[in-house]
Amino acid sequence: PLAHIFEGMVMSFYISEKFESQEEETVNAIIMEEMDLIKKSITDGLNSTVIALRRMAQRWEVSGGTPKEEWAADARNYISDFPALTTVEWVNDQNIIEWVEPLRGNEKALGLNIAFDEKRRAMLEGAKVRGHITMTPPFQLVQGYKAFVVYISVYREEKFEGFIVGIFDTDKFVRNVLPAEQLDNFHLLVRDGESIVFESSKEGKVNVSFASELSLKVFGRKWSVILSPKGDYLGSKISYVALFTQVTG
């Protein structure tokens, strides 16, 4: 009888160890798959929008300038196509905002000089390089949302003629490119240095012990993405592992 008890204890220990190993492997595999999806979704989402804005700059160069009505129609179409793109501007070679879409709500922006301090002037000077795309860290707008801004230099022949500027709502951007289910099942934190680009709801228990982090380079910025599964979601996956372990041994 003692031998049977000992064998039972050994078997229980073996099964427990096996389950914990399979549990960890399963959770890590799930998180890695989700991280790959996030990386692809963010990269593809940014590329598609910025490439669209770059086409505006290229059309300007090829056509020797774009008539205002045509430019405004293009800008409105892109704003309609990309929910996170809230505003498109043409800033002239003197850093003055000449055109803006939508005009409603942005009337006060017209005529503003965007090179209002030394740091901004230095950034714009670097952004002048032909074909270069410059993206800012996120910052809070007076309109009440957090945004990042993309600058694309515009040339006619060899003459610099300013920037096509796109302003993006950071919250709308992330929520538009990622499935809602993913944000329900995981806590997601995206940072640009010390600045928070996006943080999802913390509702539900967040399992920080399985948190995973990756770095993502986007148009000269380095974003860090931290993903942590929520307890209810992990519980369902772990229950499946336990059942599979019992069935297969």
Side-chain angles (χ1 to χ4, degrees):
L2 288 175
H4 291 161
I5 292 173
F6 179 73
E7 287 177 1
M9 291 173 63
V10 170
M11 183 59 69
S12 296
F13 176 78
Y14 169 75
I15 292 173
S16 175
E17 288 290 307
K18 184 176 181 181
F19 168 63
E20 288 180 6
S21 176
Q22 290 184 340
E23 171 191 324
E24 185 173 349
E25 288 177 7
T26 299
V27 172
N28 286 336
I30 290 169
I31 293 174
M32 288 305 299
E33 184 177 343
E34 296 293 335
M35 289 292 261
D36 287 342
L37 175 61
I38 289 171
K39 182 177 182 179
K40 185 177 188 306
S41 298
I42 289 177
T43 302
D44 290 351
L46 270 175
N47 283 338
S48 61
T49 315
V50 172
I51 286 171
L53 293 175
R54 177 178 255 175
R55 281 198 294 268
M56 294 182 75
Q58 291 171 336
R59 191 176 299 117
W60 185 294
E61 295 186 21
V62 171
S63 303
T66 305
K68 183 177 181 179
E69 295 76 14
E70 183 179 334
W71 180 94
D74 281 346
R76 287 193 295 269
N77 286 335
Y78 290 143
I79 290 170
S80 176
D81 290 342
F82 302 102
L85 180 61
T86 63
T87 309
V88 179
E89 300 170 343
W90 170 51
V91 174
N92 69 20
D93 61 342
Q94 299 301 309
N95 297 321
I96 305 297
I97 300 176
E98 288 276 1
W99 301 341
V100 60
E101 281 293 333
L103 179 59
R104 185 175 181 179
N106 292 306
E107 294 89 349
K108 292 182 179 179
L110 290 174
L112 290 181
N113 187 329
I114 64 172
F116 50 77
D117 59 30
E118 190 59 39
K119 184 177 180 180
R120 182 63 66 91
R121 283 193 290 273
M123 183 274 292
L124 291 171
E125 195 62 34
K128 286 182 180 180
V129 177
R130 192 168 195 160
H132 192 63
I133 296 172
T134 301
M135 192 169 90
T136 71
F139 58 94
Q140 194 71 28
L141 294 180
V142 293
Q143 289 89 337
Y145 63 91
K146 188 174 289 186
F148 59 85
V149 182
V150 171
Y151 296 87
I152 302 173
S153 58
V154 176
Y155 280 78
R156 189 190 318 196
E157 295 181 351
E158 298 304 315
K159 182 178 182 296
F160 172 67
E161 294 204 332
F163 302 99
I164 298 295
V165 180
I167 300 175
F168 295 81
D169 183 316
T170 60
D171 189 80
K172 284 184 179 179
F173 171 74
V174 175
R175 293 187 184 281
N176 186 62
V177 299
L178 297 182
E181 182 182 358
Q182 190 174 47
L183 297 178
D184 289 339
N185 294 329
F186 294 87
H187 175 253
L188 175 65
L189 176 63
V190 183
R191 287 184 173 277
D192 182 323
E194 295 300 316
S195 301
I196 294 178
V197 178
F198 175 86
E199 184 170 17
S200 63
S201 170
K202 291 183 178 179
E203 290 183 6
K205 186 179 179 181
V206 177
N207 195 326
V208 295
S209 61
F210 285 108
S212 183
E213 182 174 0
L214 66 78
S215 292
L216 186 63
K217 290 185 177 180
V218 285
F219 299 112
R221 307 301 308 171
K222 184 179 179 181
W223 285 5
S224 62
V225 179
I226 303 171
L227 189 70
S228 307
K230 292 184 178 179
D232 292 345
Y233 179 71
L234 272 187
S236 64
K237 296 297 180 182
I238 292 170
S239 296
Y240 172 78
V241 174
L243 177 62
F244 181 80
T245 302
Q246 291 175 4
V247 172
T248 62

